[in-house]
Amino acid sequence: MTPMEEADAFLALIGAGRTADYVAVKYGLHVNTVKSRVQLAAGLGRDARKLLDEGAINLEQAKVIATTSGAMKKSLTDHARNGSGVSTLKNLVKAGAFLVENARFDVEVSGLKIDEGGLGMLGDFPAKFADHKTALNKQLEALEILKAEEEGRGTWGKVEIVPVESAYANLPTSEWVTPPHGMTPHLALICSTATGKIAQSSQYVRYTDAQAFKRQQAEVAAAAQAQAAAGQGESGSGEASSTSTPRTPYPTADTGPKIREAAHVLAHQTRSQAIQGHLATDPRMCLALACESLAKTTICHSGGGAMEIHFRGVKDVPMTDEGRALAADLALTFGTVFAAAESGRLTYRRLGFDVQDALTAPEVQTEDLLRLFAYLTHQQVGDWENSLNDTPRRVKALAERLDVTEGVQERFTLSAAYLEGYTTDALHQLIQTMPEGLRPVGLMKASKKEIVGLILEKAPALKGAGWLPDLVKF
């Protein structure tokens, strides 16, 4: 008998009241084989059965097609006819099924029927919900609860549930953009209507919201300029100027003077080094971050763990003293594998070496591996793709958890290179944030170079007072 004839016979026996267990014992087969044959006979469909009989598709392709129904069955039959292999067909099934593993609601309490069927018998298909529509509604209800919780935190400019057709829960790139400078990112809770997969995005905003924010900023700047122009006109009008209140030499806070990229880079580097320096000496925290990330990925299936704070961009962060010392120590401990480069970073001594053998050698201690883990982890922090963007939320959260404010204050020193990144107006605003007794004086007619010099004279006292520019703070 061919597998198809055997499948039809088993289906007839089941239809006559026999159980799959009975048939399996009777014919010396595994019960899953019997169930798979029955499903093949019952679910293959006329078109796919004809293709199988003609040899246009094989038995494994037919098994996958038999697990589906309706439009999905027709689509898979067409794909198989056109040469798609078993793995492609299986991926298409997964992409069109609401998988139980993606559920954010209590599956047991929901009472929804779980369809193991042929999926389980084929070996690598996860369970799915039989009632796709109801499962999706419950998923969206669970997201509404999460949305309310996130809105209560007050962290985001907006929290939005975004249903998408993509099986991988990706944001539509045409509708979401990087937020303009100064705009708080939105939290998008993305839900695939095909697979129920949930993802979160905290780095983008709606394009329409970004445009509205830019228009609002432009209106505010125009109003400030008009106000400033009106003030200048009043101060030059006759006797009124002698009785009017002297104008402050500093611009109002909402004029938004530019701070150039050079200052942003130095600020980012200072913050990054503060986190790096802490983590380089705290293997336990590094291990906790890795465990958090793995837990979110493997248990919650959401990702977004604290280890996902790396941004391998074009802005490199110089090594810290702590990181340099750790690298030198590890180069001695694992001398067959690593060496310390001139930059202070750890490098491979030679390519093609079996690192795993060296790291699992009997003489290697757990403490040695933890120190190596700390080095590899702390190096993940700090490179931003765009230095003009605000510090990512997860990096801010990590900095708060590590309490690195003092580390930032210790590492930051006002310098001419940093201040040159400010326009003259921005320098005036910077001075406004300084403690009143430490602000430079005599700035009314000073040039930018002179203002920078006057600020630098106050730098030691400002550092002693614990003052930081807002740009440097987390």
Side-chain angles (χ1 to χ4, degrees), residues 340-372:
E342 293 183 4
S343 64
R345 285 182 165 83
L346 208 60
T347 63
Y348 280 115
R349 186 169 290 280
R350 64 180 185 272
L351 296 176
F353 188 83
D354 194 334
V355 177
Q356 189 178 55
D357 283 350
L359 299 186
T360 56
E363 64 273 15
V364 174
Q365 302 296 311
T366 302
E367 291 74 15
D368 298 329
L369 292 174
L370 277 174
R371 287 186 293 114
L372 177 60

Side-chain angles (χ1 to χ4, degrees), residues 322-349:
E322 296 91 341
R324 193 175 289 107
L326 181 57
D329 184 31
L330 291 168
L332 293 175
T333 304
F334 301 100
T336 59
V337 185
F338 303 118
E342 293 183 4
S343 64
R345 285 182 165 83
L346 208 60
T347 63
Y348 280 115
R349 186 169 290 280

Side-chain angles (χ1 to χ4, degrees), residues 46 86 88 99 112 158 181 231 259 339 356 376 437 443 463:
R46 183 177 58 185
V86 174
T88 299
L99 306 182
L112 290 176
K158 181 189 292 185
H181 182 64
I259 300 177
Q356 189 178 55
L376 297 173
L443 305 175
K463 189 175 184 69

Side-chain angles (χ1 to χ4, degrees), residues 1-12 37 40-41 49 52-53 59:
M1 298 177 68
T2 67
M4 197 67 233
E5 290 171 338
E6 187 178 59
D8 288 334
F10 288 169
L11 179 62
R37 290 286 193 270
L40 179 66
R49 181 183 285 259
L52 180 62
D53 290 340
L59 181 61

